[in-house]
Amino acid sequence: MTAAVSQHDPKASAATAGNREQDTAAPLMEIRHLHKRFSLSGDFLEQLKFKSGKLIREQEYVHAINGIDLDIRRGEALCVVGESGCGKSTVARTVMGLLAPSQGEIRYEGQRIDNLSTKELLPYRRRMQMIFQNPYASLNPRMTIQQTLEEPIRLHHPDWSKERVRDQVRDVMDSVGIDSDWGPRFGHEFSGGQRQRIAIARALAVDPEFIVADEPISALDVSIQAQVLNLMMEAQQQRNLTYLFITHDLAVVEHFGTRVAVMYLGMVCELAPTGTLFAKPRHPYTQALLSAIPRLEDDRPQHIRLQGEVPTPVNLPSGCVFHGRCPHANERCRKEVPTLIDVEDGARVACHGVEEGRL
Amino acid sequence: MSDTIVPGRWARFRDSYLLYSFKRDLIAQVSLVIFALLIFAAVFAPWLAPANPYDLAQIDILASELPPFWIDGADPAYLMGTDAQGRDLLSTILYGARVSLIIGFGAVLMQAVIGVSFGLMAGYLGGRVDAFLMRLADIQLSFSTLMVAIIVGALVKAIFGGATFSEYAVPLLVLIIGLAEWPQYARTVRASVLAERSKEYVDAARVMGLKSRRIMFRHILPNTLSPIFVISTVQVANAIISEAALSFLGLGMPETHPSLGSLIKSGFDYIQSGSWWITLIPGAVLVILVLVINLLGDWLRDVLNPRLYKG
Amino acid sequence: MALLEVNNLDVRFALRGGDVRALRDVCFTLDRGERLGIVGESGAGKSVAAFSLLNLIAKPGYIAGGSIIFDGKELSGMKDRGLRRVRGNRISMIFQDPMMTLNPVLSIGEQMVESLKAHRRISTREARAIALHKLNQVQIPSPETRLDQYPHELSGGMRQRVIIAIALLLDPDIIIADEPTTALDVTIQAEIMDLLLELCDKHNVGLVLITHDLGVVSQVTQRMLVMYAGRVIEQGPTREIINGPQHPYTQGLINALPQMATPGSRLNQIPGSMPSLSNLPSGCAFHPRCGFVNDANGAPRKACLDKVPGFVDSGNCRVACHMVAELVNQQQRDSREEVL
Ligand SMILES: Nc1ncnc2c1ncn2[C@@H]1O[C@H](COP(=O)(O)OP(=O)(O)OP(=O)(O)O)[C@@H](O)[C@H]1O
Ligand SMILES: Nc1ncnc2c1ncn2[C@@H]1O[C@H](COP(=O)(O)OP(=O)(O)O)[C@@H](O)[C@H]1O
Ligand code: SF4
Ligand code: SF4
Ligand SMILES: [Mg+2]
Ligand SMILES: [Mg+2]
């Protein structure tokens, strides 16, 4: 089990790094004290402003991620849930090296990867792949399916013969259940579900061990969602994959996830094994989120009503970022940022109320 | 499951929206026919033209300013009449159109090479590169084509002499018009690169580990071709007009090697004396050429605009 | 008599390959104050059905047949002027994309006053008062200031509340809501749904709720239609359909939900995907994906491949499926034999 990690104290996360030897199995991926902010103020000239007679440089930021520590263990499916804009995609994109973190580290098998150049990153690219949300935008419209699938194989195995590359493409097409006759066709000729299969095939083409999937089924219909989820679970069993699975659909998480991280405004507020989280949500936000899922049950259950709306990540609230909407907020919540603490059943919660035993 | 027959390129073109809309658009059809005829005539001018206007031996100075065939006093040997130097006007126009088209396409090719590379880099790499290249484009735009022509012309004439300028007029004009108008391309390409860059297939290519250059040219460029095609038609028409204007002002093609523009200029002095055809017939050809290119461009823009149709 | 009655509605799009039939044989009714759900996959024809109720189908589309009777009057052939009196006034619509209803350059108040004055002879002052009252009803915080704000200044959830307020503005008899919460987060969705339910109940407004979320349908509506490839393949009381779907497609749809499988196990997927409307399979449009095409002898049922299934009443539901028809016939025969 990983040691307690504070969300905000860098010393605490350094201590975790020291304790890592005690872990039975080192995590595949470690996210340490991750921050990401986006500047809203344009280039240098646009940042200059006149204020009370002085020319000053002023910058405004979107604080998309505000200190996240996560371990992803080999072979698990770690699900990240949260409402739109809470920073799920930003986590995925930073982990994949599509964005550079503003602060913090990303480690893959203990090796820092967030500061590597494109070339140094290449060996890791083969081992970690990504599946995107929008199957209509994630395939290059000017490339045939064959070209799309061959490209990553050629890049990572430049020494392979043409036949070997073609065999690999055929194998991967077989394994995701798409017809090998589709090769010469273009992406726009296929339905959303078929395109998502092709995108999965592209990710699997180089035999990765870790896959980040950013809302891979959100754009699909219910009956197709089931097909794609089944495919991803099969691939996980056959290839021993590790997933970082991002979604806002809690029913999918319950079915698919090994562990769940619930995010709110760029922070993890609860991290727990899936069964534990659904049986006993501890954080007030998690409780509200779970109670809001529309279920097929007979009567409309009473869901927890939250006050107000999600604040903008431009001006983060002080203390607990959830305090403006939390029914249990007190004075301490408004001032002090809660950190993730271990509670029973392997769950970890960042809430003063839980820590104080009020909840 | 869907059928597994893979349509070939030709079948795909036959079923395409491009062809479908072309078949329904009379203006586009007529424009294409006229454009093709003009191109054909220009390309095969040495075989089609009754005379070679560059060959001084073929010029009969006594036959100058003969009117076209439908006017009294015409010589049936000169269908469109002759100009002030006694050159057969039809042949001169065919050769002139050839020069105009070479310069037009050449200049656009040059604009496209500079503009597309700069636009791709600015849009994809962003940041400083973007700021630098776009400022460069702004500066370039603040010089008009005329100013570039005057500066380059003066430089060449000062360094190599007027004869060299006349000799290398075609490549020089390509250079001048190419240099003066690349920012149009750069801006259009940059805008569509910005739109494409935010699509997930570009992220997918990055996640794969591809180098920036390959992503720019192999993935993004093919998806910005539609606006490039559309703007190219406008730019060819503009380049032909620019060349005509420069020639008209005496900054372009010499009269011994006339383009449509210098033909118009050479006849301009004779309008007063009643020989209007020396100016007006090449003028009409120029207008028709530019018009059909623009009409084709309009049609192409309507067809390629993804908001107007759903494939 | 029902407030809204749709009979054999047939909507087509005139495309270059010929007509595409986006809706066929669509029949349903809606009573005053009733809540009806329409579910189906993307492209099944849910939005087309909603739009055609108000004759809002855009150009290549047209209503090729059938009738839409609202409050005793036929809407499908009605002239624009008469329709305008119904649209927004007696039947109002909520779109999935809030920006389809809201004009970005007008303030919320201006838009509400404008649509009130288009239908009622009242002063701007009165109209503003009504607008304020409606904003209060949808529980928007500080409604007075909202009146002068522009749509982009509001969050997604608040915009959707404003749209509900606009939909309620003229005290309509029916609200048609096309995926009103699809763009919203679960917690916000739950609140908006609560609100919509409460208001419809209180004012006895009929609701046609279009969604692809079976959870929402089961919690909000009393009756539901399931659409597939332009047809209503099953309709009836929501609870009965959710608890005992009869049509193989409805069964597949409900069984494919993750909550229907034990965590970590395979989901019960329906193979294949919905055919395109321009290239429908023969007979029952669902037959290439259907697990019940084969009859008791294990051979494909001929009717499924050749004949478009008609509608049969089975219990309180109406289903378009040959297999269900056979079962119903069997039961009827059995019960007759019992009587004899
Ligand atoms: N303007 C149009 N031209 C041609 N076909 C159209 C047009 N509008 C809709 N259709 C077709 O009508 C069918 C039904 O579309 P509709 O928008 O009703 O689907 P839907 O069930 O609302 O789907 P979604 O869940 O994606 O909103 C689709 O096959 C669609 O392609
Ligand atoms: N490139 C960007 N520039 C500015 N802000 C961004 C950018 N990407 C994301 N954001 C902001 O960061 C926050 C988190 O975004 P995202 O990770 O996409 O959320 P999610 O995936 O959870 O919906 C949002 O407020 C979003 O607007
Ligand atoms: S820390 Fe306080 S405000 Fe935050 S969730 Fe816990 S009780 Fe609520
Ligand atoms: S009619 Fe036949 S193919 Fe269609 S759903 Fe019923 S059993 Fe299946
Ligand atoms: Mg996202
Ligand atoms: Mg729709």
CSV table of all heavy atoms in Angstrom, one decimal, chain B residues 24-25 27-28 44 48 67 77-78 88 92 96 102 110 118-119 134 137 150 154 164 193 209 216 218 228 279 290:
chain,number,residue,atom,x,y,z
B,24,ARG,N,-24.0,20.1,-61.9
B,24,ARG,CA,-25.2,20.9,-61.7
B,24,ARG,C,-24.9,22.4,-61.9
B,24,ARG,O,-25.9,23.1,-61.8
B,24,ARG,CB,-25.8,20.7,-60.3
B,24,ARG,CG,-26.0,19.3,-59.9
B,24,ARG,CD,-27.0,19.2,-58.8
B,24,ARG,NE,-28.0,18.2,-59.2
B,24,ARG,CZ,-29.1,18.2,-58.6
B,24,ARG,NH1,-29.5,19.0,-57.7
B,24,ARG,NH2,-30.0,17.2,-59.0
B,25,ASP,N,-23.7,22.7,-62.0
B,25,ASP,CA,-23.4,24.2,-62.0
B,25,ASP,C,-22.9,24.6,-63.4
B,25,ASP,O,-21.8,24.3,-63.9
B,25,ASP,CB,-22.2,24.4,-61.0
B,25,ASP,CG,-22.1,25.9,-60.7
B,25,ASP,OD1,-22.4,26.7,-61.6
B,25,ASP,OD2,-21.6,26.2,-59.6
B,27,ILE,N,-22.4,27.5,-64.7
B,27,ILE,CA,-21.3,28.6,-64.7
B,27,ILE,C,-20.0,27.9,-64.6
B,27,ILE,O,-19.0,28.2,-65.3
B,27,ILE,CB,-21.6,29.6,-63.6
B,27,ILE,CG1,-22.8,30.4,-63.9
B,27,ILE,CG2,-20.4,30.5,-63.5
B,27,ILE,CD1,-23.2,31.4,-62.8
B,28,ALA,N,-19.9,26.9,-63.6
B,28,ALA,CA,-18.6,26.3,-63.4
B,28,ALA,C,-18.2,25.5,-64.7
B,28,ALA,O,-17.0,25.5,-65.1
B,28,ALA,CB,-18.7,25.3,-62.3
B,44,PHE,N,0.0,25.6,-76.4
B,44,PHE,CA,0.3,25.2,-77.8
B,44,PHE,C,0.5,26.3,-78.7
B,44,PHE,O,0.4,26.2,-79.9
B,44,PHE,CB,-0.7,24.1,-78.3
B,44,PHE,CG,-0.6,22.8,-77.6
B,44,PHE,CD1,-1.6,22.6,-76.6
B,44,PHE,CD2,0.4,21.9,-77.8
B,44,PHE,CE1,-1.5,21.4,-75.9
B,44,PHE,CE2,0.4,20.7,-77.1
B,44,PHE,CZ,-0.5,20.5,-76.1
B,48,LEU,N,-0.1,26.6,-82.7
B,48,LEU,CA,-1.4,27.2,-83.1
B,48,LEU,C,-1.3,28.5,-83.8
B,48,LEU,O,-2.0,28.8,-84.8
B,48,LEU,CB,-2.3,27.3,-81.9
B,48,LEU,CG,-2.8,26.0,-81.3
B,48,LEU,CD1,-3.6,26.4,-80.0
B,48,LEU,CD2,-3.6,25.3,-82.2
B,67,PRO,N,-6.9,46.2,-89.2
B,67,PRO,CA,-8.0,45.9,-88.3
B,67,PRO,C,-8.3,44.4,-88.3
B,67,PRO,O,-7.9,43.7,-89.2
B,67,PRO,CB,-9.1,46.7,-88.9
B,67,PRO,CG,-8.8,46.9,-90.3
B,67,PRO,CD,-7.3,46.9,-90.4
B,77,ALA,N,-5.2,37.4,-93.8
B,77,ALA,CA,-4.0,36.7,-93.3
B,77,ALA,C,-3.9,37.0,-91.8
B,77,ALA,O,-3.3,36.2,-91.0
B,77,ALA,CB,-2.7,37.0,-94.0
B,78,TYR,N,-4.4,38.2,-91.4
B,78,TYR,CA,-4.3,38.5,-90.0
B,78,TYR,C,-5.7,38.6,-89.4
B,78,TYR,O,-6.4,39.6,-89.5
B,78,TYR,CB,-3.7,39.9,-89.8
B,78,TYR,CG,-2.3,40.0,-90.5
B,78,TYR,CD1,-2.1,40.7,-91.7
B,78,TYR,CD2,-1.2,39.3,-89.9
B,78,TYR,CE1,-0.9,40.8,-92.3
B,78,TYR,CE2,0.0,39.4,-90.5
B,78,TYR,CZ,0.2,40.1,-91.7
B,78,TYR,OH,1.4,40.2,-92.3
B,88,ASP,N,1.3,40.0,-86.0
B,88,ASP,CA,0.0,39.4,-86.1
B,88,ASP,C,-0.6,39.4,-84.7
B,88,ASP,O,0.0,38.8,-83.7
B,88,ASP,CB,0.0,38.0,-86.6
B,88,ASP,CG,-1.3,37.3,-86.5
B,88,ASP,OD1,-2.3,38.0,-86.8
B,88,ASP,OD2,-1.3,36.1,-86.2
B,92,THR,N,0.3,37.2,-81.3
B,92,THR,CA,0.9,38.0,-80.1
B,92,THR,C,0.1,37.7,-78.9
B,92,THR,O,0.6,37.5,-77.8
B,92,THR,CB,1.0,39.5,-80.4
B,92,THR,OG1,1.3,39.6,-81.8
B,92,THR,CG2,1.9,40.2,-79.5
B,96,GLY,N,1.3,36.0,-75.7
B,96,GLY,CA,1.2,36.9,-74.5
B,96,GLY,C,0.5,36.2,-73.4
B,96,GLY,O,0.9,36.2,-72.2
B,102,ILE,N,2.3,31.8,-67.4
B,102,ILE,CA,3.6,31.3,-66.8
B,102,ILE,C,3.9,32.1,-65.6
B,102,ILE,O,4.2,31.5,-64.5
B,102,ILE,CB,4.7,31.3,-67.8
B,102,ILE,CG1,4.5,30.2,-68.9
B,102,ILE,CG2,6.1,31.1,-67.1
B,102,ILE,CD1,5.6,30.3,-70.0
B,110,MET,N,5.5,30.0,-56.1
B,110,MET,CA,6.5,30.6,-55.2
B,110,MET,C,5.8,31.1,-53.9
B,110,MET,O,6.2,30.8,-52.8
B,110,MET,CB,7.2,31.7,-55.8
B,110,MET,CG,8.2,32.3,-54.9
B,110,MET,SD,9.5,33.1,-55.9
B,110,MET,CE,10.4,33.9,-54.6
B,118,PHE,N,5.7,28.7,-44.1
B,118,PHE,CA,5.6,29.7,-43.0
B,118,PHE,C,4.3,29.5,-42.2
B,118,PHE,O,4.4,29.5,-41.0
B,118,PHE,CB,5.8,31.1,-43.5
B,118,PHE,CG,7.2,31.5,-43.8
B,118,PHE,CD1,8.2,30.6,-43.9
B,118,PHE,CD2,7.5,32.9,-44.0
B,118,PHE,CE1,9.5,30.9,-44.3
B,118,PHE,CE2,8.8,33.2,-44.3
B,118,PHE,CZ,9.8,32.2,-44.4
B,119,GLY,N,3.2,29.4,-42.9
B,119,GLY,CA,2.0,29.2,-42.2
B,119,GLY,C,1.9,28.0,-41.4
B,119,GLY,O,1.4,28.0,-40.3
B,134,MET,N,4.6,35.9,-38.3
B,134,MET,CA,3.4,36.8,-38.6
B,134,MET,C,3.8,38.3,-38.7
B,134,MET,O,3.2,39.0,-39.5
B,134,MET,CB,2.3,36.5,-37.6
B,134,MET,CG,1.6,35.2,-37.8
B,134,MET,SD,0.8,35.1,-39.4
B,134,MET,CE,1.8,33.8,-40.2
B,137,ALA,N,5.1,38.7,-42.0
B,137,ALA,CA,4.0,38.8,-43.0
B,137,ALA,C,3.4,40.2,-43.0
B,137,ALA,O,3.2,40.7,-44.0
B,137,ALA,CB,3.0,37.7,-42.7
B,150,ILE,N,9.3,47.9,-57.9
B,150,ILE,CA,10.2,49.1,-58.2
B,150,ILE,C,11.6,48.8,-57.5
B,150,ILE,O,12.6,49.0,-58.2
B,150,ILE,CB,9.6,50.4,-57.6
B,150,ILE,CG1,8.3,50.7,-58.4
B,150,ILE,CG2,10.6,51.5,-57.6
B,150,ILE,CD1,7.5,51.8,-57.8
B,154,ALA,N,14.8,48.2,-59.8
B,154,ALA,CA,15.8,49.2,-59.7
B,154,ALA,C,17.1,48.5,-59.3
B,154,ALA,O,18.2,48.8,-59.9
B,154,ALA,CB,15.5,50.3,-58.6
B,164,THR,N,19.8,43.0,-69.0
B,164,THR,CA,19.7,41.8,-68.2
B,164,THR,C,18.2,41.7,-67.6
B,164,THR,O,17.6,40.6,-67.6
B,164,THR,CB,20.6,41.8,-67.0
B,164,THR,OG1,21.9,42.3,-67.4
B,164,THR,CG2,20.8,40.5,-66.4
B,193,VAL,N,-4.4,25.6,-39.9
B,193,VAL,CA,-3.6,24.8,-39.1
B,193,VAL,C,-4.0,24.9,-37.6
B,193,VAL,O,-4.1,23.9,-36.9
B,193,VAL,CB,-2.1,25.1,-39.2
B,193,VAL,CG1,-1.2,24.5,-38.2
B,193,VAL,CG2,-1.6,24.7,-40.6
B,209,GLY,N,4.7,9.5,-31.2
B,209,GLY,CA,6.1,9.9,-31.1
B,209,GLY,C,6.6,10.4,-32.4
B,209,GLY,O,7.8,10.5,-32.6
B,216,MET,N,3.5,18.0,-39.3
B,216,MET,CA,3.1,19.1,-40.1
B,216,MET,C,2.8,18.8,-41.5
B,216,MET,O,1.8,19.1,-42.1
B,216,MET,CB,4.2,20.2,-40.1
B,216,MET,CG,4.2,21.0,-38.8
B,216,MET,SD,5.2,22.5,-39.0
B,216,MET,CE,6.8,21.8,-38.7
B,218,ARG,N,2.8,15.6,-43.1
B,218,ARG,CA,2.1,14.4,-43.5
B,218,ARG,C,0.7,14.4,-42.9
B,218,ARG,O,-0.2,13.8,-43.5
B,218,ARG,CB,2.9,13.1,-42.9
B,218,ARG,CG,2.3,11.8,-43.3
B,218,ARG,CD,2.5,11.5,-44.7
B,218,ARG,NE,1.9,10.2,-45.1
B,218,ARG,CZ,0.6,10.1,-45.4
B,218,ARG,NH1,-0.2,11.2,-45.4
B,218,ARG,NH2,0.0,9.0,-45.7
B,228,ILE,N,-6.3,25.9,-49.3
B,228,ILE,CA,-5.2,26.3,-50.2
B,228,ILE,C,-5.6,26.3,-51.6
B,228,ILE,O,-5.3,27.2,-52.4
B,228,ILE,CB,-4.0,25.3,-50.0
B,228,ILE,CG1,-3.4,25.5,-48.6
B,228,ILE,CG2,-2.9,25.5,-51.0
B,228,ILE,CD1,-2.2,24.6,-48.2
B,279,THR,N,-5.4,47.3,-78.1
B,279,THR,CA,-5.6,47.3,-76.7
B,279,THR,C,-6.8,46.4,-76.2
B,279,THR,O,-6.7,45.6,-75.3
B,279,THR,CB,-5.8,48.7,-76.1
B,279,THR,OG1,-4.5,49.4,-76.2
B,279,THR,CG2,-6.3,48.7,-74.7
B,290,VAL,N,-9.2,36.1,-66.2
B,290,VAL,CA,-9.3,36.4,-64.8
B,290,VAL,C,-10.7,36.0,-64.3
B,290,VAL,O,-10.9,35.4,-63.2
B,290,VAL,CB,-8.9,37.8,-64.5
B,290,VAL,CG1,-9.2,38.2,-63.1
B,290,VAL,CG2,-7.4,38.1,-64.8
